Amino acid sequence: MTAPGRRSSTFTRLLRHGFTDASAAERLLDSAELMPVRNDPVLLEALGATADPDQALLGLVRLLEAQPDPTARRELLDTLIAAKPLRDRLLGVLGASVALADHLARHPRDWHALVTYEPRDLHPGVEEFERGLAEATDPVSLRVAYRRCLLAIAARDVCGTTHVAETAAELADLATATLRAALALARAAAPEDAALCRLAVIAMGKCGGHELNYVSDVDVIFVGEAAEGADEGKALRAATKLASHMMRVCSETTVEGSIWPVDANLRPEGRNGPLVRTLSSHLAYYQRWAKTWEFQALLKARPVAGDIELGEEYVAALEPLVWQAAERENFVADVQKMRRRVVENIPAAEVDRELKLGPGGLRDVEFAVQLLQLVHGRADVSLRSGTTLDALQALAAGGYVGRQDAVQLDDAYRFLRSMEHRIQLYRLRRTHLVPEDDADLRRIGRSLGLRADPVAELTREWRRHTAVVRRLHEKLFYRPLLDAVAQLAPGEARLSPEAARERLVALGYADPAAALRHLEALASGVTRKAAIQRTLLPVLLGWFADSADPDAGLLNFRKVSDALGKTPWYLRLLRDEGAAAENLARVLSAGRLAPDLLMRAPEAVALLGDGDGGGLEPRGRDHLEQEILAAVGRADGAVQAVTAARGVRRRELFRTAAADIVGSYGTETHPAEADPGALVDRVGAAVSDLTAATIAGTLRAVVRDGWGEELPTRFAVIGMGRFGGHELGYGSDADVVFVHEPREGVGEREASEAANKVVSEMRRLLQIPSADPPLLIDADLRPEGKSGPLVRTLNSYEAYYRRWSLGWESQALLRAEPVAGDEDLGRRFVELIDPLRYPARGLGDEAVREIRRLKARMEAERMPRGADPKLHTKLGPGGLSDVEWTVQLLQLRHGHAEPGLRTTRTRAALAAARAAELISAEDAEILDEAWVLATRVRNAVMLVRGRAGDTFPSDGRELAAVGRYLGFGDGMVGDMLDAYRRTARRARSVVDELFYGG
């Protein structure tokens, strides 16, 4: 007898054998059912070897209690102690699955299914499972027989008799036998329907691929034909009834539960399409309407039930179409887009626990393997397997995947599938979520052989394998391309040149031969540079392929690498700072402007690093002006000074463009900027500040070179148009007017000559051909336009505006703001023009009519011949001109009374008009959206083409690149144009009401 307060020796032994509730286990061992064997060491050892000893013991007691009589109970105990195979199988199942323990308690004689231990029993196929289901006469008895067969599969699985791939194949074979049995029940219930038709059941998904889970929807497609002499319409209706009945037999819940849902949604048109089609109807759909993912799904198509001959005809008819799928436009992008969509639909709280669909999960391996099968399977029939691991092995054998990569992916896939099996087996529920409870994790870990610290070991292994999949998922496509050209591992199977070209074309490369040459130049050799680039290129190639112009991205990377490859900081930057490599890939493949700016001074690539992208933050006006003026001060002469200023401008234009591209595309760690208005404002402010600082530096250089420290006249530059509004784009000229005021003692003529010489020299220096982009200064908005003097004194402006000013000039002055030169003179110029642009009495009716007439004439006269007005971002309906003239009319009318309207910025003025209730919130939002979109299109055109434009490009690749910048994926050019037309059309309706109708 155990002394009070002391643990019994049994209690201690139970803890040592892995029981977590030793007290409860002691009580169960003392039960009458187990009394004959409670002290048998064999039983305790066997229980301790299970995934959950407490659960196994409880299940055993329940099974013994359920035996019909003492004789049956004694038979079970004797066999349990004497026969190790039964003991391991039965207790292993009881410790891993409460659902199968429940089944055994309901059907206490089914433990006999685990007694047989013969070679043919170790690896049963469809025939063996059909025999196991043969006695089922209705849905209930079919469920009981199915669970009995499942019991044997689970026993072999948890005891290690079969590995995970064999278990998955057995589950698929059991599903095949079950579908056949269910169809037989449906035929028996409606023999007249069965006589009218031929019906084939095609397994899809994991069942078709011979890799089913314990609990999964069984995906199928039905093919029907009329029996000889039967009417096709009646035959299809009969086949549909049979198919529906078969699905119900498997799916409906009975007293014995359900088997699994049969899902026919992979059929043509999904749930909206007919359940059963003829073979010719299937073929017509796939030839005309099918999407890329539907061909991907057909990789696993396999006839399993019904008319097998018809099913084989179906597979043979569609097979050629499957292997042509890789030739479809945007093929790889479509597959990857589908994968991203799956991840995006996972609830945020579950994404880290998603074993199947999450990043680094099972679906990543499956998608990658299927993608490579579709690319190369047309030419290599050895790749045409519906089973993931078999296909992966074939890809490695053919050199389409690196052998080491394939081994690591195989290991990861097997581990993740084993986890998935154990999670589902517990309650036989369809789930792919890793549980959070430690008890569940402990059971899963122990079932996988992790016994020292099951929870920690399981978590560590799970994360390790997930990380491997994430790392290899993208690399899988690109690493063999490098191996094919670098030729560094003798004896390793590698891609043939033709296979390499096939893969590059599928990935979106228009010139695969050139791409292979670039890869060879970048990856060949044994230098440190080549080694680092071989490490980087698999990831970079993926990012290039994710752009509208992969060829340009790769070519530009080669150019940058040729220029900087020998500088240690460049390779270190790309290797050690993850953001830098991705940012570079985005910038190099997004169009011509940013790469052109970078090629002129490749060292600017350093801006792409700096941790979280701080290097791409635009610099403020003061910082820029300080740097430029310092460079001017150090220069020897005006030419050298302005060259330095233009060099800073080029670098900062690259910084701005790169930040814009990265913000628009997003990266793996930072999603794309959700507010397009913020991107527009950032670019407008950055380019305007940069232009102002460059002009200020040029002015300082010209004055110093010609007059020393002081010009004979005070001189100021006034920004106009988009420059004054802080809304400059990449391709904008700098609209300005120049004002001067003679200093004391300086004659009018001398001052005027000096001012004109300054303007002339500034314009010349800023346009001298060089490696840096020119800065064009446009002074056409000055009084009298091109006919008027280039520079005027402040008094001359005052006299002109008092006597001759026209309505359009007051409107143009709404955006006037001093940007460089004498600050006091600039301030006084603003004081001079404020009464003109914000008139105290607003605008009279005649002035309003004149503005409307002027705008109408401008629309008619300036629209380029042949241009589509609906897609012209500046002059078209709902474009920039429409929005800006509407806002400016409100400013002219109400600016004197509403201080908020006294701004040179369009969006700020629009917000002020809304706040003052001069425009409804809805109308203001419509105009703002249209203005932002039109501005972004113009910026995109400049980034993509390297030259300014007001309309969408006609070239397909350039148009797709504009779409990517605007957030439209591959193949969505039509959606982009429709979205622009829709946005502009709504804006024009508002303009018609506010500008022309008010």
Side-chain angles (χ1 to χ4, degrees), residues 43 139 246 275 461 500 512 569 581 635 659 797 811 824 832 840 885 901 915 940 985 994:
L43 176 63
M246 186 205 83
L275 185 62
E461 286 298 293
W569 64 264
Y797 276 107
Q811 186 179 348
D824 179 66
L832 168 67
W885 283 59
L901 290 172
R985 187 167 57 247
L994 294 179

Side-chain angles (χ1 to χ4, degrees), residues 916-974:
E917 298 183 351
L918 299 172
I919 180 174
S920 71
E922 182 182 1
D923 286 350
E925 187 174 336
I926 290 171
L927 293 181
D928 185 71
E929 182 185 4
W931 189 89
V932 166
L933 179 57
T935 302
R936 292 204 77 210
V937 171
R938 295 179 94 206
N939 283 346
V941 169
M942 184 65 187
L943 284 170
V944 169
R945 302 178 68 195
R947 60 181 188 274
D950 294 318
T951 60
F952 289 87
S954 56
D955 177 81
R957 279 219 159 182
E958 292 178 348
L959 193 59
V962 170
R964 291 303 308 275
Y965 172 85
L966 296 177
F968 292 88
D970 291 309
M972 297 180 69
V973 163

Side-chain angles (χ1 to χ4, degrees), residues 464-516:
R464 181 176 70 82
H465 285 296
T466 301
V468 166
V469 174
R470 293 184 73 166
R471 178 172 56 83
L472 291 179
H473 176 54
E474 295 291 345
K475 175 185 172 186
L476 207 63
F477 304 118
Y478 308 109
R479 170 61 60 191
L481 290 169
L482 304 184
D483 293 341
V485 297
Q487 300 180 352
L488 292 177
E492 173 85 5
R494 52 171 68 92
L495 287 180
S496 67
E498 182 55 37
R501 280 192 289 273
E502 278 180 352
R503 187 173 300 192
L504 284 164
V505 169
L507 292 166
Y509 287 83
D511 189 349
L516 283 172

Side-chain angles (χ1 to χ4, degrees), residues 778-903:
D778 187 339
D780 289 352
L781 290 176
R782 65 188 183 271
E784 301 179 79
K786 293 182 180 179
S787 304
L790 199 56
V791 190
R792 288 176 182 263
T793 65
L794 187 62
N795 290 336
S796 175
Y797 276 107
E798 191 273 333
Y800 174 84
Y801 288 137
R802 187 175 63 249
R803 298 184 61 188
W804 309 110
S805 178
L806 300 174
W808 72 264
E809 291 177 306
S810 294
Q811 186 179 348
L813 288 171
L814 284 167
R815 311 187 80 179
E817 181 174 293
V819 294
D822 190 291
E823 293 182 6
D824 179 66
L825 181 60
R827 178 184 54 77
R828 285 187 285 130
F829 180 84
V830 169
E831 291 173 352
L832 168 67
I833 64 172
D834 272 352
L836 279 81
R837 56 183 181 176
Y838 309 126
R841 297 180 182 180
L843 287 182
D845 291 344
E846 180 55 36
V848 172
R849 283 193 292 271
E850 178 59 29
I851 289 174
R852 289 171 177 164
R853 281 195 296 269
L854 183 62
K855 182 171 186 332
R857 188 170 77 243
M858 183 182 72
E859 288 178 9
E861 295 176 356
R862 295 191 182 180
M863 181 68 68
R865 183 176 299 175
D868 181 353
K870 293 180 180 178
L871 293 176
H872 198 281
T873 60
K874 183 176 181 181
L875 301 176
L880 294 169
S881 176
D882 265 2
V883 176
E884 289 166 2
W885 283 59
T886 300
V887 171
Q888 288 161 14
L889 184 58
L890 290 171
Q891 289 180 285
L892 289 166
R893 280 178 151 178
H894 305 286
H896 182 77
E898 293 292 340
L901 290 172
R902 298 174 207 162
T903 175

Side-chain angles (χ1 to χ4, degrees), residues 109-121:
R109 300 295 294 172
D110 277 5
W111 67 269
H112 287 278
L114 304 179
V115 174
T116 309
Y117 197 76
E118 300 173 2
R120 67 182 178 83
D121 174 59

Side-chain angles (χ1 to χ4, degrees), residues 534-612:
R534 282 194 297 273
T535 302
L536 292 169
L537 274 167
V539 184
L540 290 170
L541 286 169
W543 288 323
F544 294 151
D546 190 38
S547 73
D549 196 349
D551 299 82
L554 182 55
L555 171 61
N556 289 329
F557 178 68
R558 181 179 176 184
K559 289 179 179 177
V560 172
S561 183
D562 287 346
L564 294 178
K566 294 182 179 178
T567 57
W569 64 264
Y570 165 70
L571 294 171
R572 189 166 57 246
L573 174 79
L574 296 185
R575 184 192 62 197
D576 298 340
E577 295 199 35
E582 185 173 5
N583 291 345
L584 179 63
R586 297 299 183 200
V587 166
L588 294 181
S589 56
R592 296 180 184 173
L593 178 65
D596 285 351
L597 292 169
L598 181 60
M599 297 311 167
R600 292 167 183 174
E603 65 276 3
V605 76
L607 299 174
L608 299 171
D610 196 17
D612 294 333

Side-chain angles (χ1 to χ4, degrees), residues 165 209-211 299-300 323 365-374 376-377 380-403 406-407 409-410 413-414 476 503:
H210 235 75
E211 51 189 17
L299 280 170
K300 296 184 179 292
W323 303 113
V365 180
E366 293 159 358
F367 262 63
V369 168
Q370 291 162 21
L371 184 56
L372 291 174
Q373 284 181 279
L374 288 169
H376 299 295
D380 189 343
V381 295
S382 71
L383 305 181
R384 300 181 182 183
S385 170
T387 307
T388 300
L389 292 177
D390 290 348
L392 180 59
Q393 185 178 0
L395 286 165
Y400 303 101
V401 172
R403 288 190 184 277
V407 168
L409 273 182
D410 185 285
Y413 190 76
R414 289 175 186 273
L476 207 63
R503 187 173 300 192

